[in-house]
């Protein structure tokens, strides 16, 4: 929980993007993204501390969460959040920059942290859509414009050719976070469109696609080029944690299934055109078949859930390894309104 002159965590010699290893080389540079990330960590661990009776630690984490969230809001750039600050206080990821005017992860993590002002987070995502999604090349950029000729010295990221890897190409890890952020807004149509855009199978549908993509269609590529001479060409494969994140984006952010201790949570965000979907989940020797119906063609919202014919809470569906077969039926729609009695 370090803090620089803007009240943000110090970036040191790189945060998630280790290619930005000179932004804080002097020990004073700061990271907006790391602030969002730390906000989520503090929020989650304050709950852990509370559950264990560590009231003092929980209060400290919540106080730091409030301070950091407030500091990040001061880094609002007008249409999106800045990426950070160099040692000398020069903004990074700002409209006033010639290069790296907008960076993806500062926008997506405003939502994923659940700490950003909602109106700003939605506006930042609109900016990300406008500047970072390139449907013609089928890529979702990490940042734009890429580093090239400006005086900024962010680090070895500038050693990559513009449009390659972290330097203005698609870095798939970050692109998946953008998909998850879109899903958190409840837009299942867009979330699945972007998921399909990232899916390597869809980069190799035709011989021309194969010639353009050039790498395996059955493994997620760490990066995809946006360089004008090689748009849509796959980069490093068999290498990336992006595969695990893509699995989570599909299973958790879109299909909405999460394990929470001894229960399951179901909160899908799917395309309105989907009539239904089914998940088969094994838990030890047990088998759970989960069917989600969408009769009203909505993207989100669970109106009812049953486990083996008994109504249960969508946020806490019991599951156990009892060796049996179980059936979960859920319906997407508006939850039934509670009846209010007179005088209540």
């Amino acid at each position: 929980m370090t803090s620089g002159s803007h009240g943000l965590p110090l970036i040191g010699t790189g945060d998630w993007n280790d290619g930005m290893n000179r932004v804080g080389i002097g020990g004073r540079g700061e990271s907006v993204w790391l602030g969002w990330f730390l906000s989520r960590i503090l929020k989650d661990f304050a709950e852990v501390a509370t559950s264990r009776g560590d009231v003092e630690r929980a209060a400290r984490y919540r106080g730091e969460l409030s301070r950091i969230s407030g500091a990040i809001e001061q880094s609002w750039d007008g249409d999106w959040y800045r990426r950070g600050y160099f040692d000398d206080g020069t903004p990074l990821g700002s409209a006033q920059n010639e290069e790296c005017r907008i960076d993806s992860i500062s926008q997506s993590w405003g939502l994923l942290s659940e700490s950003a002002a909602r109106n700003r987070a939605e506006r930042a995502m609109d900016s990300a859509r406008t500047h970072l999604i390139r449907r013609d090349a089928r890529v979702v950029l990490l940042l734009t414009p890429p580093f090239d000729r400006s005086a900024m010295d962010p680090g070895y990221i500038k050693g990559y050719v513009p449009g390659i890897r972290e330097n203005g190409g698609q870095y798939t890890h970050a692109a998946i976070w953008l998909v998850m952020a879109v899903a958190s807004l409840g837009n299942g149509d867009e979330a699945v469109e972007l998921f399909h855009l990232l899916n390597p199978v869809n980069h190799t549908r035709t011989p021309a696609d194969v010639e353009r993509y050039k790498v395996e269609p059955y493994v997620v590529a760490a990066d995809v080029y946006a360089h004008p001479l090689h748009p849509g060409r796959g980069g490093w494969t068999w290498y990336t944690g992006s595969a695990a994140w893509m699995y989570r984006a599909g299973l958790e952010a879109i299909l909405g299934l999460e394990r929470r201790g001894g229960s399951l949570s179901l909160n899908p965000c799917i395309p309105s055109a989907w009539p239904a979907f089914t998940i088969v989940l094994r838990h030890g020797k047990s088998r759970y078949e989960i069917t989600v119906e969408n009769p009203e063609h909505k993207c989100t919202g669970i109106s009812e859930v049953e486990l083996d014919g008994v109504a249960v809470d969508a946020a806490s569906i019991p599951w156990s390894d009892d060796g049996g077969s179980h059936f979960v039926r859920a319906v997407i729609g508006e939850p039934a309104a509670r009846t209010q009695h007179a005088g209540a």
Side-chain angles (χ1 to χ4, degrees), residues 235-287:
W236 291 8
T237 56
W238 296 107
Y239 161 78
T240 173
S242 302
W245 275 105
M246 193 153 184
Y247 182 77
R248 289 192 62 184
L251 188 64
E252 297 178 6
I254 294 172
L255 300 185
L257 184 66
E258 292 188 49
R259 178 179 176 179
R260 295 182 178 175
S263 65
L264 298 173
S265 169
L266 191 60
N267 183 29
C269 179
I270 63 172
S272 57
W274 284 13
F277 66 88
T278 299
I279 304 171
V280 175
L281 184 67
R282 296 193 178 277
H283 181 28
K285 296 182 179 180
S286 299
R287 181 181 187 274

Side-chain angles (χ1 to χ4, degrees), residues 174-312:
I176 293 167
W177 282 342
L178 200 70
V179 173
M180 296 173 78
V182 167
S184 76
L185 291 172
N187 192 335
D189 295 304
E190 184 183 12
V192 171
E193 181 211 351
L194 295 179
F195 188 89
H196 287 326
L197 194 71
L198 302 181
N199 189 338
V201 168
N202 293 325
H203 286 276
T204 53
R205 291 285 184 185
T206 67
D209 290 341
V210 171
E211 181 60 28
R212 169 168 152 156
Y213 190 55
K214 295 187 182 295
V215 296
E216 302 93 335
Y218 42 81
V219 59
V220 176
D223 59 300
V224 183
Y225 300 171
H227 190 281
L229 295 180
H230 306 287
R233 178 171 177 170
W236 291 8
T237 56
W238 296 107
Y239 161 78
T240 173
S242 302
W245 275 105
M246 193 153 184
Y247 182 77
R248 289 192 62 184
L251 188 64
E252 297 178 6
I254 294 172
L255 300 185
L257 184 66
E258 292 188 49
R259 178 179 176 179
R260 295 182 178 175
S263 65
L264 298 173
S265 169
L266 191 60
N267 183 29
C269 179
I270 63 172
S272 57
W274 284 13
F277 66 88
T278 299
I279 304 171
V280 175
L281 184 67
R282 296 193 178 277
H283 181 28
K285 296 182 179 180
S286 299
R287 181 181 187 274
Y288 283 75
E289 183 173 315
I290 303 166
T291 298
V292 180
E293 302 168 4
N294 188 18
E296 299 177 18
H297 293 283
K298 295 181 177 294
C299 292
T300 60
I302 293 289
S303 60
E304 58 180 288
V305 185
E306 294 177 351
L307 170 61
D308 297 330
V310 178
V312 293

Side-chain angles (χ1 to χ4, degrees), residues 34-213:
L34 188 55
W36 287 137
F37 187 75
L38 182 57
S39 295
R40 183 58 186 258
I41 299 295
L42 290 167
K43 184 191 293 285
D44 290 347
F45 273 84
E47 293 177 6
V48 172
T50 298
S51 71
R52 298 191 174 198
D54 194 342
V55 178
E56 183 178 342
R57 190 186 305 270
R60 177 179 171 226
Y61 286 174
R62 291 193 176 102
E64 195 69 6
L65 166 62
S66 177
R67 185 195 66 76
I68 291 173
S69 299
I72 297 176
E73 292 297 345
Q74 299 304 310
S75 293
W76 177 250
D77 201 60
D79 285 304
W80 57 79
Y81 289 99
R82 295 171 182 169
R83 179 63 172 82
Y85 298 90
F86 287 86
D87 286 315
D88 64 359
T90 299
L92 174 65
S94 167
Q96 65 184 271
N97 297 136
E98 295 176 50
E99 299 167 355
C100 188
R101 298 183 57 190
I102 179 171
D103 188 292
S104 171
I105 64 175
S106 287
Q107 320 320 319
S108 59
W109 271 88
L111 284 163
L112 297 179
S113 70
E114 300 179 353
S115 297
R118 183 72 177 197
N119 61 330
R120 285 183 171 177
E122 291 181 1
R123 188 169 176 180
M125 286 299 294
D126 284 340
S127 296
R129 291 181 181 97
T130 299
H131 296 284
L132 300 173
I133 299 174
R134 301 281 173 83
R135 289 175 173 82
D136 55 341
R138 290 183 240 172
V139 293
V140 180
L141 306 182
L142 176 59
L143 57 86
T144 196
F147 296 103
D148 189 14
R149 300 180 183 279
S150 74
M152 285 196 297
D153 180 17
Y156 78 76
I157 184 174
K158 197 172 180 178
Y160 291 121
V161 174
I164 303 296
R165 291 184 60 76
E166 294 102 319
N167 193 16
Q170 174 179 294
Y171 210 71
T172 308
H173 191 161
I176 293 167
W177 282 342
L178 200 70
V179 173
M180 296 173 78
V182 167
S184 76
L185 291 172
N187 192 335
D189 295 304
E190 184 183 12
V192 171
E193 181 211 351
L194 295 179
F195 188 89
H196 287 326
L197 194 71
L198 302 181
N199 189 338
V201 168
N202 293 325
H203 286 276
T204 53
R205 291 285 184 185
T206 67
D209 290 341
V210 171
E211 181 60 28
R212 169 168 152 156
Y213 190 55

